[in-house]
Amino acid sequence: MKDRRRTGGGRAWARGSSASSSWFALVAFLCCPLFATVAFSTFRIFGVSFRPVLLPTWQTSVINAVATDHSFLRRESISATATIAAKRGSNNSFSIRIQEAISFPDQVLLFLQFSSSLPRLDLVCLYSPPSNPTTSSSSPVADLRLPAIIPSFPTSFIRCPLAPRGFSISLSPDLPLLKPRPWDHLTYAALLDPHNNSTVVFAKGFNLRPARLSDHSRYECVFGWNFAKPKYLLTSPALTAAQEIIRCNTPPSVLLRFRSQSEPNPPLVSVKTKGRGAITLPSVARPETLRLSSRKNRHTMCVCTMMRNQARFLPEWIIYHSRIGVERWFIYDNDSDDDIEQVIESLRMSNYVVSRHLWPWVKTQEAGFAHCALRARGYCEWVGFIDVDEFLYLPTNFTLHDVLQNYSSMPWIGELRTTCYSFGPSGRKTTPSEGVMVGYTCRLGAPERHKSIVRPEVLNPSLINVVHHFHLKEGMKYVNMEKGLIVINHYKYQVWEVFKEKFYRRVATYVADWQNEENVGSKDRAPGLGTKAVEPSDWSSRFCEVNDTGLRDWVSMAFIDPQTGLLPWQKRRNLI
C-alpha cells in the first residue's frame, strides 16, 4: 500500500511536472515576440533613425476626453509617448506626444508635448482615410504623407497641410491617429489674472452675441491635467460671459501651484455649460500667468495689433510710431508664413521693444485684443489698438505724450476715441517704395469709424470689445478726440496687389469674409467691389476726394536722410 502510495505520488508529480513544463514552454513561446519587439524598439531608439518610436509605456492624453460624460467628446484612441532620435552628430533623443489635432480652413495644427525644445527635424504628417481598418490601432497605415512645418518661433504646435475630409492624422506609424477637431468648437487660450485671482478663458463654440453680456450662470470652468478622470477635475463658476470670453474664479489649489512656481506643466482649462445636455468644449488652453500692474517703470504708450503676412510693413509702422512716442509693441501673429521673425529681430537689434505672440486662431480679433489688453496692463499706462496700415497723426505741435499726460490727470477718462480717415491708391498701380505715408496722399472726405487708445486697468471685467472700442468699468468715460488734435491715417485702399490680400480672410469674429455673400453693403467692405477679388479697371483712381499731404510732408521733413534721400525703412529694406 505504501509502495502504491509512493508510486501514485510519483505519477502525480510527473503529471504536474509535465503540465508545468508545457505551461513554461507556452509562456516562453509567447514572450519571445514581445522580447524581440522591445529589443527592436530599443535598437531603433538609439539608432540613427529620425522616425518616432513607441515607448513601452502608454499614457492617456490630457485632452483625449475633455468631458467623459458626453460620448461624442471622447477620443477613441489614446496618445502615446514616442521617442524621436535627434541625432545631430550624437545619440540624443527626446520624447514627444501628440495631445490634440485641430483642423483649420487651410491647415491642421498638431499640439505636442515634448521633453525638450523641438529640434528642426524633417517630420512627416501621416494621413489615413476613415475606411482604413487600422485607424484606431497603435500602428496606423498612412495613405498619404506630407512634410510638416515646424514654426521657427518656439511653440507647442506644428503645422500640417489640411487633411482630406474624414481623414485622421499622426506623425509616426508608432503613434495613434487622431481625427482633427474643428477650430470653431474649442477652448483655445487662457490667462490667470492676479488682480482678482480669476482665470480668463477664450473659447469658440457657444455663439454668444457680440457687444453684450450673456448669462454667466449658465457656464463654469473646468480645470485638470487629465479630463478623462472626472473625479480629479475642479470646477469653478463663471463670473462673466461675453462674446468668446468667460471669466471664472481660479480654484485655490490651482493658485497655489502657480504661486509656488514649481509646476512646469499647468493644468488645462475649459468651459462647460450647466444643466440638461451640458457640453464641455475640447481644450488646448493652459493658463498663462500675467504680470501684476505697477505704476513704476511703466511705458506711457504701447500698441497692440494683429496681423498676418504683413511683415514688410512693420519697419515703417514701428519706426514712425516710435518717433511720435510709442514705446512698446505687442504683435499678435495670426499664422504668418512670411519673414516676420527676421523683421522683428532686426527691429529688436535696433532697440525697439517688440514682442511677438503666436495667435493662430481664426476670426478671433476681439478675443486677441482682450488677451493683449490684459498682457499689456502690467507694462503700459495707455494702449492703442490699431492695424499696421493705420498711423496716428498729430497735425499740431502737440506730441502724443502731451495728449496722454493731459488725460492721465483725469482718472475718470478711460478711452480716447480717434477718428480714422481712409486713404485710396492715390493714382498708383505699384507699391510705393517710400512707404504708405509718403506714397498715398488722397483720401475720402468723410471719416470712417474710429480706433481707441485705452487705459487697460479700467476695462470692464467682461473685456467686451468690438475692435474699435472696449467697454469700460462703471463710472469711467470715453472722449471723442478732436480731429485737429489727433487722427488716424488709415491706408485701407492701397494698390490692388496689396489690397486683394484682404479677400483671404478677415480676422474679426463678427465681420463676414469679403468673398461671402453676406453684409455686402457694410462699411467693412470696399464700396462697389462685391465679393470677387477682381481688380476694377479704375481702381487706382478710386477713394480719392481730398488731397491730404499733411503726414507725408511731416515724414519727409523728419525722416529723409539728406545725403541719401532715403527714408529709414527704405534703408532697412535694403539691409534685410
Side-chain angles (χ1 to χ4, degrees):
M1 178 68 71
K2 290 181 180 179
D3 292 339
R4 281 198 296 269
R5 286 175 182 168
R6 290 193 193 100
T7 304
R11 291 194 185 107
W13 180 89
R15 288 194 299 270
S17 175
S18 176
S20 299
S21 299
S22 299
W23 278 107
F24 179 80
L26 178 61
V27 170
F29 175 77
L30 293 175
C31 286
C32 284
L34 178 62
F35 177 79
T37 300
V38 173
F40 180 67
S41 298
T42 305
F43 169 77
R44 288 197 298 173
I45 289 173
F46 294 99
V48 297
S49 173
F50 286 90
R51 198 160 63 101
V53 178
L54 186 66
L55 292 179
T57 301
W58 285 66
Q59 301 179 17
T60 302
S61 170
V62 177
I63 317 177
N64 279 339
V66 176
T68 57
D69 54 339
H70 297 285
S71 59
F72 64 87
L73 286 175
R74 297 193 186 105
R75 285 293 198 196
E76 297 301 327
S77 61
I78 60 176
S79 293
T81 301
T83 296
I84 294 179
K87 184 174 180 180
R88 304 274 176 157
S90 67
N91 289 325
N92 295 332
S93 63
F94 71 98
S95 61
I96 186 173
R97 183 157 60 99
I98 304 175
Q99 292 185 316
E100 193 60 275
I102 306 298
S103 180
F104 288 81
D106 52 2
Q107 65 180 342
V108 176
L109 296 190
L110 296 184
F111 287 81
L112 310 177
Q113 189 172 21
F114 35 82
S115 57
S116 60
S117 60
L118 192 63
R120 304 294 295 175
L121 297 179
D122 295 328
L123 296 177
V124 176
C125 305
L126 309 181
Y127 304 85
S128 184
S131 59
N132 193 323
T134 63
T135 295
S136 61
S137 74
S138 60
S139 301
V141 177
D143 288 62
L144 179 65
R145 298 169 180 261
L146 296 172
I149 302 172
I150 303 176
S152 54
F153 189 78
T155 183
S156 61
F157 63 82
I158 65 171
R159 300 183 180 98
C160 286
L162 186 63
R165 183 180 294 275
F167 274 54
S168 297
I169 191 169
S170 186
L171 286 176
S172 165
D174 300 308
L175 289 172
L177 288 158
L178 290 180
K179 187 175 181 179
R181 297 189 187 275
W183 62 271
D184 56 356
H185 189 78
L186 180 74
T187 297
Y188 55 88
L191 292 171
L192 183 63
D193 189 346
H195 287 263
N196 58 4
N197 293 330
S198 64
T199 299
V200 181
V201 184
F202 301 84
K204 276 187 173 295
F206 294 132
N207 298 320
L208 304 186
R209 299 182 68 179
R212 63 183 62 187
L213 286 170
S214 298
D215 183 4
H216 65 272
S217 66
R218 297 174 51 203
Y219 306 97
E220 62 183 1
C221 293
V222 183
F223 298 79
W225 282 265
N226 190 338
F227 281 16
K229 297 181 179 180
K231 67 178 181 179
Y232 296 116
L233 299 180
L234 299 172
T235 60
S236 178
L239 301 173
T240 61
Q243 299 181 165
E244 294 186 357
I245 305 170
I246 311 292
R247 185 189 288 266
C248 298
N249 283 317
T250 308
S253 59
V254 175
L255 282 174
L256 286 174
R257 285 183 177 270
F258 275 99
R259 288 171 178 170
S260 66
Q261 297 182 349
S262 61
E263 179 55 59
N265 183 32
L268 284 163
V269 60
S270 190
V271 181
K272 181 180 180 180
T273 58
K274 294 181 180 179
R276 188 175 181 180
I279 295 175
T280 303
L281 290 177
S283 177
V284 294
R286 298 180 186 274
E288 303 173 44
T289 305
L290 293 171
R291 172 178 171 175
L292 276 168
S293 298
S294 172
R295 295 190 178 275
K296 296 181 179 179
N297 302 320
R298 282 199 303 178
H299 302 298
T300 301
M301 177 66 179
C302 303
V303 165
C304 284
T305 196
M306 185 176 292
M307 57 180 286
R308 182 185 183 277
N309 287 347
Q310 294 177 303
R312 62 194 185 278
F313 300 117
L314 274 179
E316 178 183 7
W317 188 70
I318 287 177
I319 293 171
Y320 167 77
H321 281 105
S322 174
R323 179 67 174 266
I324 68 169
V326 176
E327 298 161 295
R328 178 165 181 169
W329 294 262
F330 296 86
I331 308 295
Y332 275 57
D333 180 3
N334 194 216
D335 204 33
S336 298
D337 55 14
D338 58 3
D339 58 350
I340 183 172
E341 183 184 19
Q342 183 181 1
V343 171
I344 288 179
E345 184 59 31
S346 173
L347 290 164
R348 287 173 178 161
M349 294 290 289
S350 299
N351 298 319
Y352 295 101
V353 185
V354 185
S355 58
R356 177 187 176 206
H357 185 84
L358 290 182
W359 189 263
W361 317 112
V362 175
K363 298 191 77 66
T364 54
Q365 188 175 34
E366 294 87 347
F369 278 3
H371 192 281
C372 188
L374 289 175
R375 289 181 63 217
R377 184 182 58 189
Y379 302 91
C380 316
E381 182 181 0
W382 296 90
V383 182
F385 293 86
I386 59 177
D387 298 331
V388 293
D389 60 355
E390 296 173 332
F391 291 73
L392 293 165
Y393 172 44
L394 294 93
T396 67
N397 292 326
F398 286 102
T399 67
L400 184 58
H401 277 219
D402 291 335
V403 174
L404 297 178
Q405 287 176 5
N406 178 56
Y407 288 104
S408 293
S409 63
M410 304 177 189
W412 61 90
I413 301 298
E415 181 179 29
L416 310 179
R417 296 185 177 181
T418 309
T419 297
C420 297
Y421 283 108
S422 296
F423 282 69
S426 305
R428 291 183 173 269
K429 295 185 178 181
T430 58
T431 304
S433 62
E434 62 271 33
V436 300
M437 291 183 290
V438 174
Y440 302 115
T441 56
C442 203
R443 62 171 173 81
L444 295 175
E448 290 187 334
R449 298 189 174 182
H450 64 266
K451 290 296 179 74
S452 292
I453 302 172
V454 305
R455 280 178 168 155
E457 60 189 21
V458 302
L459 298 183
N460 189 284
S462 68
L463 298 172
I464 291 178
N465 70 88
V466 288
V467 177
H468 305 286
H469 60 267
F470 280 82
H471 286 198
L472 304 175
K473 289 181 178 178
E474 191 75 22
M476 300 302 298
K477 306 294 182 181
Y478 67 84
V479 173
N480 289 318
M481 302 300 294
E482 295 181 13
K483 300 182 186 68
L485 181 62
I486 183 172
V487 295
I488 290 176
N489 280 11
H490 184 187
Y491 299 98
K492 180 177 181 179
Y493 308 110
Q494 298 185 33
V495 296
W496 184 258
E497 178 187 358
V498 174
F499 180 82
K500 68 180 180 181
E501 296 175 5
K502 293 181 181 290
F503 281 86
Y504 170 72
R505 185 173 62 228
R506 309 297 301 282
V507 294
T509 307
Y510 304 101
V511 174
D513 289 340
W514 284 11
Q515 67 270 28
N516 295 341
E517 295 284 351
E518 183 180 347
N519 297 330
V520 177
S522 169
K523 289 184 178 180
D524 291 302
R525 297 176 180 268
L529 192 60
T531 60
K532 306 297 183 183
V534 178
E535 181 180 4
S537 58
D538 62 340
W539 178 258
S540 63
S541 60
R542 288 190 178 189
F543 317 108
C544 182
E545 297 174 350
V546 176
N547 191 35
D548 185 345
T549 62
L551 184 54
R552 183 202 66 179
D553 297 340
W554 188 87
V555 166
S556 298
M557 178 187 65
F559 285 101
I560 288 183
D561 186 328
Q563 295 182 345
T564 64
L566 296 176
L567 294 157
W569 39 91
Q570 289 178 291
K571 295 180 182 179
R572 184 175 293 272
R573 192 182 303 125
N574 294 334
L575 294 174
I576 294 178

